[in-house]
Structures are given as structure tokens and as C-alpha cells.
Amino acid sequence: MVALLPGRAVDAAVSVWRSGHHAAADDTAQQRRVRQHELRAWELGNDGPDSVRELREAEHAVAVSQGGQARAKERLARQRSARATSAGEAVVRAAYERLLVALDHSLWDFWRKREPIVEAS
């Protein structure tokens, strides 16, 4: 069971990334590094320089939008999803695995301490 947990979590994160959304939060330095990998992985898309420009425009629209932010985020997610490739998936999969199995990661710390937590509840 323990061995399956990271694999399933990584698969779920890759699915989120393929849909054009960040799977990692940006609360910690490790998570911010993973988000950078996600951005670079979308840039690996093989749609040419016009597509990269469109992606940048969509990112900018989300950053500056106020009233139509939901629409801008949806457009950005579509742009990113269209640029998801196998090479990009390999990049983010490796980043997610490093994030999940790091020795100092809170998920593993929580897992190691699960029995006392269950006993206390």
C-alpha cells in the first residue's frame, strides 16, 4: 500500500498538469521549483513559436484580468493542455516524484506518524 501511494499521487498530478493546470501549490520552495518544471514542460510543446507567443499572451491575460479572470484562466488552461507532450510529462513526472518521496516531505512524515494519530482519534 505504501509503495502505491506515491505512484497514484504522481499519476493524479500528471493528469492535472495535462489538463492545463498546476498540480503543485506554491507554498514552499520545493513546490515553487515543481511549478517551474510545469511551466517549462508546457513550453516543450511542439506547436511552434506562434504557440509559445499565444501561451505567453494567455498567461499575461490571467495576470492582468479582473472581471473576466475565469475566462482568461480557461483559455490559459486550453493553451497549456494543447502543449502537453510526452517529453513534458516526463519532466513533470520526475519533479512530482522528487517532491513526493523527498525524505523531509510532510506526506511521508505524516505517513510514518499515522499510527499514533489514529490511536489518538
Side-chain angles (χ1 to χ4, degrees), residues 36 66 78 95:
Q36 290 301 313
Q66 293 173 351
R78 280 194 313 269

Side-chain angles (χ1 to χ4, degrees), residues 35-88:
R35 285 176 75 96
Q36 290 301 313
H37 286 289
E38 290 173 330
L39 291 170
R40 279 189 235 121
W42 281 313
E43 291 174 0
L44 291 174
N46 53 5
D47 294 339
D50 287 342
S51 182
V52 173
R53 182 182 45 77
E54 290 173 3
L55 182 62
R56 293 285 175 257
E57 289 172 358
E59 289 170 348
H60 180 71
V62 169
V64 300
S65 67
Q66 293 173 351
Q69 190 169 20
R71 212 170 330 146
K73 284 184 177 182
E74 183 181 315
R75 179 176 173 245
L76 177 58
R78 280 194 313 269
Q79 290 283 334
R80 287 174 170 171
S81 180
R83 296 186 57 79
T85 62
S86 297

